[in-house]
Amino acid sequence: MDQHTLVITGMGAVTPVGIGVNNYWQALVGGKCGVGPITRFDASELPVQIAAEVKGFDPAAFMPKSLARTMAPFMQYAFAAGEEALAGCGLEIGREPDRVGIVMGTAMDGVTTVAETQAAYDAGHKVGPRFVPMTIGNIAAAQIAIAHGIRGPSLTLNTACSAGGDAIMTAAMLLRSGEADAVLAVGGESILCPIVVAGLAQAKALSRRNDAPEQACRPFDMDRDGFVIGEGGGALVIETLEHARARGAQIYAVLAGYANTSDAHHVTAPCPDGAGAAACMRRALARAGIQPADIGYINAHGTSTRLGDAAETLAIKSVFGGRESAPPVSSTKSATGHLMGAGGLTEAIACIQAIREGVLPPTLHLDTPDPDCDLDYVPNTARRARIDAAMSNSLGFGGQNSSIIFARYRG
C-alpha cells in the first residue's frame, strides 16, 4: 500500500431492517426482512400496497427537533447515517475544515415533500418557506456541512439507483486529485408517496405481492415480479491512508477499485446482455489491480425484476468466466427493498462487513431457481466464508452502472 491508497474509517446506516451499522448487519445475516404493508399513507386504492419502510426512526436521536422540521425524510436519513459515520471515525473536522468534503447521492431528492405539499396546496393550504430547501438534493449535504463545519468540496449526484456507488467513486476522485484528505460519502432516499408508487406500478416495475409482502422481493427467483420500494440512508468516511494513519484512525477496509459506465441503450431497461455492467466491473477490477478470481463475494444490484436480474447474471458470468468460476453473489435488497440512492452505500457496508466478519449475507426468498439466473446466490441463509475482496454493483435507470471494490486492510 502506498500514499495513494484510500481507506474506510467510518460507516453509518439507516435501513428498513435496522438503524445503525451493527443492527443492520445483524439483521442481514439473520435473515430479517423489512418489507410490509405501506403505513406512511393510505395505499388501499393503489395496485401496489407494500414497501420497505424505515421503522422506529426518531430524528431527535440524531439532530435537534428544530433542524429535523426543516428536512425531508431522505435528508434526515442521510444526516443520521452521516452522524454515525463521523462519530465512529473520530475525525477532528475543526482542525482542517477545508480538507474535508462531502458527496451526496440520491435518486429522487424530496419528491415526497413535493407530493405532500401539492396535495395540501390543492386543498387550500399555503406553501411554507421551507418547501424549496426541503426538495433540493444538495441541501442534505449542506445540512451536514453546517452541523459539522465541513468547508471542503460538496457535491450531490442524481445518477438514479447508482448514485450511492457514484458518490463513493466521486469521493475517491476528490481524494486522489488532492482536493481533500477525507470525504463523507453519503446517500439518502425516501420516495414513498402515492404518485411515485402509482407511476412505478404503471411501469410494471414493482412487485404486486400485496398479500405476502415479506416474500415480495425475491431476486433471481423464477417467480419474481418486480422490485419493492425501500428507504433509508448510508454513509462512509473515506480517507487517504496517509491521513488516516497520521491520526491513528481505525481502518475497516481499503477502497480498492471503482468505475462508472453507461449502457447507452434505454431509459429504463438494462442492456439485455449486460454489456454495460460487465464493462463497469472490468474497469473497477483494472483500477484495483486485481484479477476476477480475487473477488470473493459480489453484492449484486439484484432488484428482483425479470430483465435486470437476468442481465446482471450474464454480466457477472461474462466478467468472471462463467458460472463455475464466478464468486458467490447475493442481493441484500431481498431484505431491505430497493433503497435507490442510499442503496449503494448500505450495500457497500454489507461488502465491508462480509470481509471483516467472514460472513456472506443471503439472498432471501430464493425458492425456485430461474434457469436464466444460475449463479451461486447464497440462497436464504448466511454463509461463513473468509474473503479478501468484495464487489458492490449498483445499476440505475438511464443505463447508469457503478461497481465498487473493497479489500481487506493489511496494515
Side-chain angles (χ1 to χ4, degrees):
M1 296 184 188
D2 59 27
Q3 62 194 30
H4 300 296
T5 298
L6 304 180
V7 294
I8 308 302
T9 59
M11 302 186 289
V14 176
T15 79
V17 295
I19 298 170
V21 169
N22 184 62
N23 291 333
Y24 163 59
W25 175 246
Q26 293 304 320
L28 286 185
V29 298
K32 180 179 178 180
C33 179
V35 181
I38 293 173
T39 65
R40 204 66 53 80
F41 58 88
D42 181 4
S44 60
E45 300 299 317
L46 293 172
V48 173
Q49 301 163 11
I50 57 175
E53 300 177 335
V54 172
K55 305 160 191 71
F57 178 75
D58 180 10
F62 304 95
M63 66 199 80
K65 291 182 179 179
S66 59
L67 180 58
R69 286 194 293 269
T70 70
M71 290 198 287
F74 87 99
M75 297 178 180
Q76 293 178 357
Y77 298 151
F79 191 99
E83 288 294 288
E84 182 185 12
L86 289 170
C89 79
L91 182 65
E92 296 182 26
I93 296 169
R95 296 185 62 179
E96 293 181 294
D98 296 336
R99 300 296 301 164
V100 180
I102 303 179
V103 182
M104 169 74 183
T106 182
M108 296 185 71
D109 303 343
V111 65
T112 56
T113 299
V114 174
E116 292 165 2
T117 304
Q118 183 67 58
Y121 183 73
D122 290 344
H125 297 280
K126 293 182 179 179
V127 177
R130 298 171 181 159
F131 167 66
V132 171
M134 289 175 69
T135 64
I136 302 174
N138 77 298
I139 301 301
Q143 294 283 24
I144 297 171
I146 292 167
H148 292 277
I150 296 173
R151 297 177 183 170
S154 179
L155 301 170
T156 296
L157 306 178
N158 287 108
T159 48
C161 304
S162 75
D166 292 335
I168 295 171
M169 174 172 171
T170 304
M173 293 167 66
L174 289 173
L175 292 163
R176 289 264 170 103
S177 67
E179 292 295 315
D181 297 319
V183 177
L184 176 69
V186 62
E189 205 74 63
S190 183
I191 65 171
L192 282 172
C193 59
I195 192 170
V196 172
V197 174
L200 288 171
Q202 185 69 16
K204 296 180 169 49
L206 300 180
S207 171
R208 302 195 180 202
R209 208 177 291 258
N210 296 321
D211 56 343
E214 287 201 356
Q215 304 294 316
C217 191
R218 41 199 319 113
F220 310 110
D221 188 89
M222 185 68 178
D223 297 325
R224 67 192 184 277
D225 68 331
F227 74 84
V228 174
I229 294 174
E231 60 175 355
L236 295 176
V237 176
I238 310 170
E239 299 183 53
T240 63
L241 177 60
E242 181 181 24
H243 189 264
R245 278 178 170 170
R247 67 183 192 84
Q250 180 180 2
I251 294 174
Y252 296 108
V254 174
L255 173 53
Y258 47 85
N260 170 288
T261 64
S262 176
D263 283 355
H265 170 71
H266 192 272
V267 171
T268 57
C271 194
D273 62 1
C280 193
M281 287 185 266
R282 290 191 181 98
R283 286 191 187 187
L285 287 164
R287 183 173 293 278
I290 61 177
Q291 298 301 311
D294 296 324
I295 299 293
Y297 165 67
I298 298 174
N299 188 290
H301 186 58
T303 60
S304 188
T305 63
R306 301 209 66 80
L307 292 178
D309 290 2
E312 188 174 7
T313 297
L314 286 174
I316 291 170
K317 289 196 288 188
S318 170
V319 172
F320 290 88
R323 182 181 65 182
E324 293 75 14
S325 55
V329 178
S330 73
S331 171
T332 47
K333 288 183 178 71
S334 59
T336 67
H338 194 344
L339 271 58
M340 305 279 181
L345 274 303
T346 57
E347 291 160 16
I349 291 169
C351 287
I352 294 168
Q353 290 294 85
I355 295 169
R356 297 180 68 228
E357 302 292 335
V359 180
L360 309 183
T363 302
L364 302 181
H365 321 128
L366 183 45
D367 302 324
T368 307
D370 182 347
D372 290 332
C373 300
D374 55 354
L375 297 173
D376 174 6
Y377 300 112
V378 195
N380 299 311
T381 305
R383 179 187 304 168
R384 288 275 174 190
R386 178 183 168 84
I387 63 170
D388 292 318
M391 173 183 284
S392 175
N393 289 335
S394 297
L395 316 176
F397 277 7
Q400 295 282 163
N401 304 303
S402 165
S403 290
I404 308 294
I405 296 174
F406 298 95
R408 183 181 300 279
Y409 175 63
R410 302 181 185 279

